[in-house]
Amino acid sequence: MSSAAAFSYAPLLPTGPDQTDYRLVTDEGVDVVHGPGGRRFLTVEPAALTALTAEAMHDIAHFLRPAHLAQLRAIIDDPAASPNDRFVALDLLRNANIAAGGVLPMCQDTGTAIVMGKRGRHVLTDGADAEAISRGVYQAYTKLNLRYSQLAPLTMWDERNTGSNLPAQVDLYAEDPDGHPDAYKFLFMAKGGGSANKSYLYQETKALLNPTRMMQFLEEKLRLIGTAACPPYHLAIVIGGTSAEYALKTAKYASAKYLDALPTAGSMSAHGFRDLELEAEVLELTRNFGIGAQFGGRYFCHDVRVVRLPRHGASCPVAIAVSCSADRQAVAKITPSGVWLERLETDPARFLPDVTDDSLDAELVVRVDLNRPMDEIRAELSKYPVKTRLSLSGPLVVARDIAHAKIAERLDAGEPMPQYLRDHAVYYAGPAKTPEGYASGSFGPTTAGRMDAYVEKFQAAGGSQVMLAKGNRSGQVTRSCQQHGGFYLGSIGGPAARLAQDCIKHVEVLEYAELGMEAVWKIEVEDFPAFIVVDDKGNDFFAEVTKPVLTVGRR
């Protein structure tokens, strides 16, 4: 064996100077005390951690970063963007403007609360930091119009909603942030199920580490992400890692732009770095997919982060993660000067263009009256090709995972399909809490694929003939729609606040009220935007754009 190299140390993820624009939350609950050897210690009361967390969770539910909003505006201004790209971007900007009012959250899936903190060695607390942070999560989710999504496992098979959105995921590290021993720094995230479900880990080998094979691999895997997590995405790819879990964690941080200040070249210190050239190539690759911002075009992704990590010689993990159109994260810090939180954009209206809907509509918009009998609705939809943009008005039935499971049990027991699923289109969704004076809380679509297993059974029994949700469907849904004369309509993933304020006029429970947001609802909608994705002839818009071509190579 060769002689050992000289000792050297570098953090795996060395970040540069903090360029964040912060705002002061409070200067209470922090103090500076002097200790032995002239050292200065920062004391932080539990109440300061709780107040910061509650404020952060409020802000990321309602506000976005200015850079993200500027990227949405850039889609509208790009002449190469498709009409559907521009329509989605405009709807997301309108949604951001409504959410910034502080009443309706930008997405109905207000997510799992995730907090990562780095506590300097001269920061003193009572030691129960995770509990104080969790209390802040509790305060935000129980006081605001947010949704409870966390399920407590009572047995291996039985679960119950915790009714508070706890537990939170809290990861705390003993580390001087940015070299400051008297500072405590945080990353706050709210990760919805749709976005979290598009985190992938692949265990590859050295054979992947050449330009041609890497681009072929990425084309195949990135197409599989689909649109269920509400693009345009902030895409993160991590190649390598000291372990599989470290690769995945790094991908999550990179998708939140937390690692933007990494070095852009490697060294024998074996630290991670960003490959800016590969980022540009992958971004261009995604723009050629044709998937676009959900319904065809260039803007599958806003941007791409590619991080290269060291690896064991026998392992090559590749992690992929996305941050969706509800790009919810903020950094924060506690220093001797107070408690500080990243300044998010509170006036997103300044990013709205001076354009009308008509100037964005290069294609026909078909208005569909949902008050008509189901056969007439299907006959109308049958006239138009996939990707046609629709405007829906009238009644919809709302049902998702648990309601579908209960109805399937009834069918298996020989009971008939409920009449409401025979008479009406079904919207896969689950609302957030309803603010006072509103017809509903934020009420965006759920990932359609979770209901795929029920479609053939339901359509054969006369139900679910027209379905409305977000994302792509499996081949079995396309075949069932062709056999039974059904349709799947894609709703824009992301603008849940705008749908609640502008499109949903009435909400009532039809069945299973005890399920809370998972109940079967009936809603009245007006000018609800949608697109034909799967038709009654066996056509599926996403079928072609998700097939890898495998002809790309790195230039």
Side-chain angles (χ1 to χ4, degrees):
M1 295 181 63
S2 60
S3 58
F7 173 80
S8 66
Y9 173 77
L12 276 175
L13 297 172
T15 55
D18 185 357
Q19 305 293 334
T20 305
D21 180 19
Y22 290 98
R23 66 177 182 87
L24 181 66
V25 174
T26 181
D27 57 7
E28 297 181 358
V30 296
D31 197 6
V32 175
V33 298
H34 296 280
R39 289 181 292 177
R40 190 174 72 160
F41 291 87
L42 174 67
T43 63
V44 180
E45 297 296 327
L49 294 172
T50 297
L52 173 60
T53 302
E55 188 81 358
M57 288 299 157
H58 166 274
D59 280 14
I60 63 179
H62 292 282
F63 307 129
L64 292 158
R65 287 171 167 156
H68 175 87
L69 294 164
Q71 288 175 309
L72 287 172
R73 173 60 188 267
I75 296 174
I76 297 171
D77 294 337
D78 183 1
S82 72
N84 285 350
D85 277 340
R86 293 196 291 273
F87 178 72
V88 170
L90 179 60
D91 220 37
L92 292 172
L93 279 176
R94 288 171 170 165
N95 187 70
N97 196 52
I98 293 168
V103 178
L104 293 165
M106 69 183 73
C107 179
Q108 82 287 344
D109 184 350
T110 48
T112 298
I114 299 173
V115 184
M116 186 272 286
K118 295 180 179 180
R119 188 173 114 184
R121 66 186 184 275
H122 289 174
V123 176
L124 302 178
T125 70
D126 69 354
D129 297 17
E131 181 178 349
I133 290 167
S134 295
R135 186 176 295 276
V137 171
Y138 174 86
Q139 289 182 2
Y141 277 83
T142 55
K143 292 180 180 179
L144 301 172
N145 298 310
L146 309 183
R147 196 174 86 185
Y148 308 144
S149 298
Q150 304 306 307
L151 302 178
L154 304 181
T155 70
M156 181 59 72
W157 322 118
D158 299 317
E159 300 173 309
R160 185 176 302 167
N161 194 297
T162 62
S164 63
N165 214 55
L166 292 178
Q169 179 181 318
V170 182
D171 299 320
L172 302 177
Y173 299 90
E175 178 180 331
D176 291 350
D178 303 325
H180 297 292
D182 59 349
Y184 205 159
K185 299 194 75 172
F186 302 89
L187 170 64
F188 293 95
M189 303 178 70
K191 199 71 173 174
S195 178
N197 292 346
K198 297 302 179 180
S199 299
Y200 295 100
L201 174 69
Y202 301 96
Q203 295 286 19
E204 297 297 315
T205 68
K206 167 67 175 173
L208 184 65
L209 299 180
N210 71 78
T212 299
R213 176 65 190 124
M214 178 63 72
M215 293 299 284
Q216 291 174 339
F217 171 86
L218 290 176
E219 180 182 21
E220 177 186 355
K221 303 306 182 186
L222 296 180
R223 286 178 183 269
L224 296 177
I225 295 174
T227 61
C230 308
Y233 297 128
H234 300 282
L235 171 66
I237 302 165
V238 174
I239 299 159
T242 49
S243 64
E245 65 270 21
Y246 194 83
L248 282 166
K249 179 173 68 173
T250 302
K252 178 177 288 186
Y253 293 161
S255 73
K257 282 71 72 184
Y258 185 74
L259 302 177
D260 277 8
L262 283 177
T264 56
S267 75
M268 286 304 295
S269 295
H271 56 74
F273 66 90
R274 286 179 62 187
D275 186 330
L276 302 184
E277 179 184 356
L278 189 53
E279 288 178 3
E281 293 183 13
V282 174
L283 180 60
E284 186 61 26
L285 174 71
T286 66
R287 289 186 170 172
N288 292 325
F289 286 170
I291 300 173
Q294 306 189 30
F295 302 102
R298 288 169 48 83
Y299 282 95
F300 186 60
C301 295
H302 283 302
D303 48 41
V304 177
R305 302 292 186 270
V306 177
V307 177
R308 180 68 157 90
L309 293 178
R311 68 183 184 92
H312 184 285
S315 302
C316 186
V318 177
I320 297 173
V322 297
S323 184
C324 66
S325 59
D327 188 42
R328 294 172 295 194
Q329 63 269 154
V331 295
K333 64 181 180 180
I334 302 178
T335 69
S337 62
V339 179
W340 300 83
L341 179 61
E342 181 177 357
R343 189 186 306 276
L344 302 179
E345 181 57 65
T346 58
D347 183 25
R350 67 188 182 92
F351 293 95
L352 283 168
D354 295 323
V355 297
T356 65
D357 282 350
D358 291 341
S359 64
L360 293 174
D361 293 344
E363 299 176 340
L364 176 68
V365 179
V366 177
R367 302 194 178 279
V368 179
D369 181 4
L370 299 176
N371 290 290
R372 292 182 295 173
M374 179 54 63
D375 287 346
E376 292 185 17
I377 294 172
R378 290 193 291 164
E380 177 69 14
L381 294 174
S382 191
K383 299 175 184 178
Y384 302 99
V386 294
K387 208 166 70 171
T388 296
R389 184 176 146 204
L390 310 173
S391 177
L392 309 177
S393 296
L396 289 169
V397 167
V398 179
R400 46 180 269 162
D401 305 63
I402 297 178
H404 274 70
K406 287 184 173 292
I407 293 168
E409 290 175 359
R410 288 158 60 173
L411 295 178
D412 290 340
E415 297 180 33
M417 171 64 65
Q419 194 64 36
Y420 54 72
L421 279 182
R422 300 173 64 90
D423 293 342
H424 302 293
V426 58
Y427 179 38
Y428 302 159
K433 284 183 283 188
T434 301
E436 185 175 352
Y438 284 73
S440 82
S442 292
F443 211 156
T446 286
T447 302
R450 298 210 306 268
M451 268 56 73
D452 282 6
Y454 301 103
V455 172
E456 202 286 326
K457 179 194 292 285
F458 282 26
Q459 289 190 336
S464 296
Q465 298 297 330
V466 176
M467 301 162 286
L468 176 66
K470 67 174 181 176
N472 45 297
R473 308 298 296 262
S474 63
Q476 70 187 103
V477 172
T478 302
R479 292 188 294 271
S480 182
C481 286
Q482 183 176 19
Q483 179 181 354
H484 298 289
F487 293 84
Y488 166 57
L489 311 181
S491 177
I492 300 172
R498 195 192 78 76
L499 293 176
Q501 176 177 284
D502 298 340
C503 301
I504 299 175
K505 303 304 180 181
H506 179 73
V507 176
E508 62 180 279
V509 176
L510 283 183
E511 196 171 15
Y512 303 124
E514 70 277 8
L515 298 180
M517 70 93 175
E518 292 267 9
V520 176
W521 307 79
K522 184 178 181 181
I523 65 175
E524 290 286 336
V525 301
E526 183 177 300
D527 293 329
F528 194 108
F531 296 79
I532 300 176
V533 176
V534 176
D535 66 13
D536 57 347
K537 305 170 188 67
N539 299 307
D540 176 4
F541 162 66
F542 287 114
E544 291 303 317
V545 297
T546 55
K547 290 180 181 176
V549 179
L550 297 179
T551 58
V552 297
R554 191 173 182 181
R555 295 188 296 274

